[in-house]
Amino acid sequence: MATSYTLSMAIRQLNPDLIICGKQSADGDTAQTGPSLAEMLKISQITNVLKINDVGGNISCHTRTGSVSVDLPALITVEKFANLRFPSVRAKTKDVEIWDAKKIGADIEKCGTNGSPTKVLKTYENSVGGRKCKFIYPNELMEIINVEREKRSTKLEYVPSAKRFDEVWVIGEELEKIARSIGKNIKVLPKQRVEKIVDFASKHNPKVILWPGDLWGRANAPRAAVLLKTGLCADCTHLETDGDRLYMYRPTYSGNLMAKIKCSTNPQMATVRVSKPDNKDVVIAGGKGVKGDFDLIKAFAKKIGADVGASRGLVDMGIAPYHMQVGLTGKAISPRVYIPCGISGAIHHTCAIEGVGTIIAINPDKNARIFQHSDFGIISSFKGIPF
Ligand SMILES: Cc1cc2nc3c(=O)[nH]c(=O)nc-3n(C[C@H](O)[C@H](O)[C@H](O)COP(=O)(O)OP(=O)(O)OC[C@H]3O[C@@H](n4cnc5c(N)ncnc54)[C@H](O)[C@@H]3O)c2cc1C
């Protein structure tokens, strides 16, 4: 909120036709600054842009969710856009003009920590998701899959707080389960135009609104926060309350740390990581290790009635489509069985599989990080697996 406010005051001095923001920072990962800046400047936005198709009186972009066009002035947040240019060592230095609050007409109370309705109460090492791996032989794979897929529960349970809010609002049904851990009654609103949700909230003053942490929620909740003049905590994985304040837990620094965050204004709002109900009880995913042989993974998935996933490595190679991407910038999953094959297990990937029942990793590198997050491991090339 404070960052977007400061930027909005500076940008008003320039009056540009187009503002290009990165989708999200590498430390906070909130993806909030772009959308809240657009709302403060009252201009259109397009998020998760992969390519600009055309710019004239309007701008048309190809995004994660299809092609979108809006009138200028506009703000876009970009994902994979261009390769960054390294600064040249021979470049001549120039003076950087420094603007202060007075120059941009900003209210100092709304800048920096003073202007932030959310506060980080503590950060700590994220130890969630580590598992004890038992190594097995390739020919045992089918038997383990069959035994583990019969087990009922997955590992993600939400512990209810001792005191709970009388009512919690959620946008979209996926959040009902986590909302029950902090609220006695849950009011579910369908996804709709953000102005309508804001209108409704202004009339009824809910204490808490939870938004889905999907592309829609991450693009719209920051705009609602600006309109409702309240804070927003992004991409939470766990919630707690003492009956009055909401304590929001979220991975930060790409999941290496967890942060506990509180919001001092109402409604207290969070986007919450959604793990979509999986269509199938087993998901098998390919990574860069399987490269062009991804069809083999897809054929095996079909044979055993499993869904197919992929690492970002494989998606970035253009071999798997984005909707299959599992991870921080893809989707979180929680099937009974997950089989990452040819995936190294970067934290950006493992942070989205914490809710899986049983993880069976296939990788020829016995030191691959994925084994630290697996229940079973097969040290082998995918070529040695009797798929
Ligand atoms: C902000 C940010 C967000 C990100 N979001 C995501 C995300 O949502 N999802 C995601 O997955 N990543 C994400 N990443 C990228 C992540 O950090 C890793 O780069 C990525 O997960 C690596 O993909 P990979 O495991 O397929 O490839 P690699 O890391 O290259 O691993 C390939 C693995 O294949 C194994 N291998 C090699 N040959 C074979 C063989 N014949 N058979 C079997 N295995 C073999 C290797 O031993 C290796 O372990 C993100 C990164 C950033 C910075």
Side-chain angles (χ1 to χ4, degrees), residues 47-227:
T47 57
N48 298 83
V49 169
L50 298 171
K51 187 170 170 259
I52 294 179
N53 295 330
D54 196 25
V55 198
N58 63 7
I59 176 164
S60 139
C61 299
H62 179 60
T63 76
R64 284 277 178 218
T65 47
S67 286
V68 188
S69 169
V70 297
D71 287 337
L72 294 175
L75 176 146
I76 63 173
T77 73
V78 299
E79 251 183 69
K80 264 177 74 177
F81 194 58
N83 288 327
L84 291 181
R85 181 169 47 84
F86 283 105
S88 159
V89 282
R90 273 182 241 111
K92 292 199 183 99
T93 54
K94 277 191 183 166
D95 285 341
V96 175
E97 193 181 335
I98 296 177
W99 290 1
D100 58 13
K102 200 168 156 216
K103 158 85 182 168
I104 60 175
D107 175 353
I108 202 85
E109 283 307 310
K110 292 186 181 171
C111 302
T113 341
N114 287 348
S116 178
T118 53
K119 189 172 174 213
V120 177
L121 299 175
K122 67 170 181 180
T123 52
Y124 53 97
E125 202 179 327
N126 185 5
S127 56
V128 180
R131 298 177 188 217
K132 197 165 169 14
C133 183
K134 180 180 174 204
F135 289 100
I136 58 168
Y137 292 106
N139 59 6
E140 292 177 273
L141 176 64
M142 254 343 284
E143 192 193 330
I144 301 282
I145 293 176
N146 287 333
V147 171
E148 297 299 317
R149 79 191 308 180
E150 288 309 314
K151 294 189 176 165
R152 295 263 140 227
S153 72
T154 52
K155 298 213 163 146
L156 208 59
E157 291 300 330
Y158 301 112
V159 184
S161 297
K163 284 186 181 170
R164 290 183 293 164
F165 292 104
D166 288 337
E167 186 176 77
V168 167
W169 285 24
V170 300
I171 316 295
E173 281 162 13
E174 305 106 301
L175 298 178
E176 231 186 305
K177 197 171 163 196
I178 191 167
R180 293 219 173 273
S181 67
I182 52 154
K184 294 176 201 158
N185 298 302
I186 311 302
K187 187 180 189 70
V188 182
L189 270 68
K191 283 181 181 174
Q192 56 195 296
R193 280 191 48 238
V194 73
E195 290 79 4
K196 277 188 109 176
I197 298 173
V198 167
D199 241 27
F200 201 48
S202 307
K203 280 185 197 124
H204 298 275
N205 299 320
K207 269 194 161 174
V208 177
I209 309 180
L210 305 180
W211 299 72
D214 55 13
L215 291 180
W216 181 87
R218 305 278 297 258
N220 285 290
R223 296 180 47 217
V226 171
L227 293 168

Side-chain angles (χ1 to χ4, degrees), residues 287-289 311-312 325-329 342 344 348-349 363-364 381-382:
K288 273 166 93 176
S311 72
R312 175 161 159 184
Q325 185 178 312
V326 175
L328 183 72
T329 42
S344 58
H348 310 104
H349 189 86
N363 197 307
S381 160
F382 71 92

Side-chain angles (χ1 to χ4, degrees), residues 287-288 290-295 298 310 313-322 324:
K288 273 166 93 176
V290 302
K291 290 196 202 91
D293 288 308
F294 190 45
D295 280 348
K298 289 197 267 188
L314 202 68
V315 172
D316 284 352
M317 285 170 90
I319 294 174
Y322 171 70
M324 287 185 184

